[in-house]
Amino acid sequence: MPLGQRSFDNSEARYCGAEVEFSEDIENALTYNLESSFDFIVAPLTNQDFRPSKLKVSPLGSAVPPFAGSDLVLSPAQWSGHVVGKVSSWLDLDSAEDLVRVDSETTLKLELGWAAHLSLQACLLPTPRPLNCGNYARCVNQALQGLAHMQLWLRIPLQSPQMQEAEDTPEEETVFLMRDSITGWPVSDSWEWWNMFRMLCEHHSHLSVALDITASLPPASSIMRWIGEPVRAAILHTSAFLTNKRGYPCLSKRHQNLITMLFNHSVQIVLSGEPLHHLDESDLSPNTESNGNCSEVDAANARHPLKPYLEYIAYLYRRMEPPTEQERFEMSYRDFLQAPLQPLMDNLEAQTYETFEKDSTKYSQYQKAVHAALLDRVSESEASTTIIVLMVVGAGRGPLVRASLKAAEEARRQLRVYAVEKNPNAVVTLHSLIKMEGWEEMVNIVSCDMRQWNAPEQADILVSELLGSFGDNELSPECLDGAQRFLKEDGISIPSSYTSFIGPITASKLHNDVKSYNDLAHFETAYVVKLHNVAKLAAPKPVFTFHHPNFIPGSDNRRYKKLVFELPEDTGSALVHGFAGYFDAVLYNDVHLGIEPSTSTPNMFSWFSIFFPLRNPIYVPVGCKLELHFWRCVGPTKVWYEWAVTAPSVSAVHNTNGRSYWVGL
């Protein structure tokens, strides 16, 4: 039974599982857990005493491994929907003993084959040896090549056992600083174990992570790395729970925040371990009472030893805030690659216009900017005698025209508006709007490319919404440079300036989605993405800034910037799959608009981030700096970006000469 019902939340995080011991009667084991409100079980596929080298062969030459029951004991729907297979934990495929290694290889192949036969959706793999998993990864990678649907969850401790043992002791720093003698990588950082394993498996999309969570947690920035990794499950041990004043299990504030964050990223919780809170049925109350950090939960039915823990997890899930209207709008776009718009080459469709026009926050900011500009442009004493000429370049279906006229009404200033739009389809709607609103005397519609229009008079104010996710990526500089010829020398441009920002991210899903195209071009293309399962490794830095109007003779819109990023030291090492781009714009004076995370405009959805992928992810060791080179190139017919990393390792220059991705002029 799902943990609870939250509006618009249909993620996998609603389902909670239990890790169980091997049982020859898996049908009853599953029934018992389902009746206790668990949604699935993580169950061993074979008896843990099984060793292929000791398997007795019948006189006819056949041998049957001790599987957990026949495939007939459960229906196909039960196997696939309610059972996650658990590969034997004794496996040691990198053992120095040949017999152990061969037995392990044979068992792994046998159990994964059986799991595939049962059509299980996932199988839990045992934790690899720290930075010594070459043969284990090789065998798993072989298995991955033949898997069609099943996911393999690699069990990785969130905090390594070495760090757990050394925590709050004099040895803690020594253990933290331990390095592998060959790779030089931190031995006590469990993320390193995962990173080595997944690189050996070629970043396979069917290989993911199941995090083991105990009482000990690493630093917050270290935990955040995992958000960009393919974490499918979190195995929460009973040892992670505290006891509140009435004897009920609860979690520390840090653990609560962690579980909530995992819920928000569609990670399923699996409860594991022996019950450490022995509650008498007579003491259990059906009421749920919340108090600060530790809240009592309904534990009236405690037949299952892990039921009190399940109820507490369900309580954490149910108390989460429902998604906001903006979050609901964005859900279907999360981590979905979209090609940026080509507004000069292509005419937008009605549906695209409608989506952007719903962004009331954006147009409210524009209205504030126009209002301030009108007041500065014409004094109160001249308001009744002066007509301000305002040109909306790229008027679309008229939202900026409406915002400008509202601003003029509020400011009590007179306007003459020119609405310039190159899309003939949008012009049809624009004419209808002007007629319907009775604006014929104030608004002149011009069906023309702003770069080719010969204006009948000079403008006092030039208003545009040509910004892309990276600020200049939809050619706002080129368009406004062409349009500013009909702006007075002391005229006002809205926006007056904008700056692009960029920062390194871990984004395993995005990397695999780009990789699935199996060509170079897609790794050299920028994508508009609503970033979600992404770890932002360092604060974004400014890249290019453009000012308007720009009357400097011979000015050039080509740009180059070298950026150096430092990851917080307690983050540990990280893998960079690419860079997230943003923008911040000054519309007029102190009125701004943007999506750069530290200054982003609240409740605005017209722009998502832009993603610049790397062909080969860059490993950034702890304490090392990341150096990025970024170019904005301009040719006779197109504008494009090129990018390359030169530290801590060197990448190729991406998108040379705009061979894969460009924006047409």
Side-chain angles (χ1 to χ4, degrees), residues 195-212:
N195 188 50
M196 175 177 278
F197 199 98
R198 58 99 170 269
M199 287 199 294
L200 287 165
C201 292
E202 306 173 283
H203 303 267
H204 201 287
S205 59
H206 284 188
L207 178 66
S208 49
V209 178
L211 287 175
D212 258 323

Side-chain angles (χ1 to χ4, degrees), residues 596-628:
E596 194 279 315
S598 66
T599 60
S600 61
T601 307
N603 304 317
M604 188 175 67
F605 54 81
S606 283
W607 295 277
F608 296 150
S609 308
I610 196 166
F611 174 57
F612 295 94
L614 290 171
R615 271 189 259 166
N616 299 302
I618 298 290
Y619 171 70
V620 183
V622 59
C624 289
K625 296 180 180 180
L626 176 69
E627 185 175 72
L628 169 69

Side-chain angles (χ1 to χ4, degrees), residues 158-178 188 212-220 222-223 239-240 242 252 254-255:
L158 183 59
Q159 179 82 301
S160 69
Q162 302 98 307
M163 287 301 298
Q164 291 182 45
E165 292 174 11
E167 191 172 25
D168 298 327
T169 71
E171 311 299 321
E172 185 171 6
E173 186 173 356
T174 303
V175 173
F176 178 75
L177 294 174
M178 286 174 57
S188 60
D212 258 323
I213 301 175
T214 58
S216 177
L217 295 179
S222 176
I223 293 175
S239 62
L242 304 174
S252 70
R254 283 197 70 200
H255 280 81

